[in-house]
Amino acid sequence: MKFILKRLLTMLLTIWVITTLTFVIMHTIPGDPFSSDSDVLPEEVLNNMRAKFNLDKPLPVQYVLYLKNLASFDLGPSIESETRSVNTLIAEGLPVSALLGFQALVIAIVSGLLLGIIASLFHNRTIDYAAMTIAILGISVPSFILAPLLIKFFAVQWGMLPVASWGTWKHTILPSVALAAGPLAIIARFTRSSMLEVLKQNYMKTADAKGLGAAGIVIKHGIRNAIIPVVSFMGPLVAHLLTGTFVIEKIFAIPGLGKYFVDSIFNRDYPVILGTTIFFSVILIVTLFLIDLSYRLIDPRIKLSSRGD
């Protein structure tokens, strides 16, 4: 309980720091969301628009007002979208980003674990070299390079899958693969290295001496101990795949949170920038907290302490 309470307080402090830094950096940039309209609209209209979003008040007052609204989970109205609030945009974009991220997460975890386990079992053989070559390519090729290649071949040239729209499950395949390629490669490398260490342990040799089959040894004793380092990577991975699909959503024209976030930066939509940043941060922080708690379930020998995380 001490560990949980300490982490909860740390999480709240972290969210406050992120909110403050984002607010300060955002207002440090010269101009405001209506600067581009200064040559088109009369000054009176611009002043009324600034007043509507409290941009005419001093920064400390704006900051206090935003924290007050944030305490009631009100992220404010969107400047660019007059009819929708930031809460509405998040509610609309989250299911799309979550679906895309979940599919990419399943692809990355399942394929990465299998690739890493197979590579470790055939260490220094052709299969091992082939698996690690795939992993190196996955790490080396960024998603914004892989995505256009997938579009060119699978959508344009071969016509196998649709692209640049959102509707059916077929529309999710290419962006999910593009999003999962990098994490898949990292999980494969982590799993391979960890499995190689586990396979050298005495308890693995003891299990082999007792007559357990190779499959039983790997499944019952090997994988459970080998995935602990992989779980450490799961926190940022889950948060990234579920909410951080900025580039992929933009390339594939997917109406998710990532697309709203990128558009808000170009439009200088302050409430959307702040709201989505805070939401992404909460997802990441909560996920890391749950990952820490999961260590105990994976390996009962791990103790959670309230001192020195």
Side-chain angles (χ1 to χ4, degrees), residues 97 245-246 249-250 253-264:
S97 295
T245 58
F246 305 149
E249 289 184 6
K250 194 68 176 177
I254 298 173
L257 278 179
K259 182 177 181 298
Y260 291 147
F261 182 73
V262 173
D263 290 342
S264 68

Side-chain angles (χ1 to χ4, degrees), residues 275-296:
T276 50
T277 300
I278 294 171
F279 184 77
F280 292 150
S281 302
V282 170
I283 294 294
L284 175 60
I285 293 169
V286 171
T287 304
L288 291 174
F289 173 64
L290 295 177
I291 292 296
D292 286 344
L293 292 180
S294 70
Y295 289 145
R296 175 72 175 173

